Amino acid sequence: NGVFTKAGRINKRNGYDVLDTRIEDGGTISNGEALGVFNDELNLYSGTNLYSYSEATTSWKNKGYLTATIIESTPVVRNSYSQTNPTTDYLSGLTCTAWEDSRGGARYTITNVDGTILVNDGLIDALATNVFVVTFQNNFFIFYTLTADTSLNYKLVSFGTPLTLGAKVTVTTNMNAVPNFDCIAIGSKIFVAYFNVANQILIRTIDNLFVISSATTLANSALNCLGLWTDDSQNLWLGFSNNVNVSVAAYNYNMVAI
């Protein structure tokens, strides 16, 4: 029960106080999983919420809901080259990661859930750029543009044959010089939106038979950015910017504007 703070002298160890479990806005904290300090603030994590202790009121202030996150990392490629703009998706224990590579073009790796590398540093295309991976119908779709032309393409990796990279399939040949695009799987379709040479946004779908639909045209510019997301009703939402304004558009699952 003593601590050495000076040679030849023992000081009594500081004791402990039991802190109140009251919450400022009412109620009490019934359990705690962790304590921590941020700057001069004592924090408590209850398993669902973060609380901050107030010496003035000898109670805890609820700072809000908090989910504990543990980050793990697994290397997918090790070499002397540079990898940029990575993209990844997961499918039933397999992970497909693709990137642009300093050797030129884009490459990809397929890893198993236990970390086993099934495909190591495979070449997608020596001229590929803007690579993007989407999981759909037990397949990885690897979308990309080419530096040699204005096409948007994909190659497919099937869950059943993950060692095989499929042939190139072209979605469009009229991408803008600023080749902004995005893809999202909703239900039994992949929705693909892209910025074309006419400075318009075009949207196509790819169904479960891999049939590419005709285009729906949105007469707006996506010069700065273009992104897709969905909601619980399987509506398609687009966010885009023409470098001046940021806009939003929405379509239902059958591509009817809402």
Side-chain angles (χ1 to χ4, degrees), residues 172 192 194 201-205 212-218 255:
T172 182
V192 182
Y194 58 92
I201 299 170
L202 270 62
I203 308 163
R204 297 179 185 268
T205 63
I212 301 172
S213 74
S214 59
T216 298
T217 301
L218 183 62
M255 288 305 301

Side-chain angles (χ1 to χ4, degrees), residues 98 238 252:
L238 296 84
N252 68 14

Side-chain angles (χ1 to χ4, degrees), residues 59 120 149:
S59 62
N120 183 25
D149 58 34

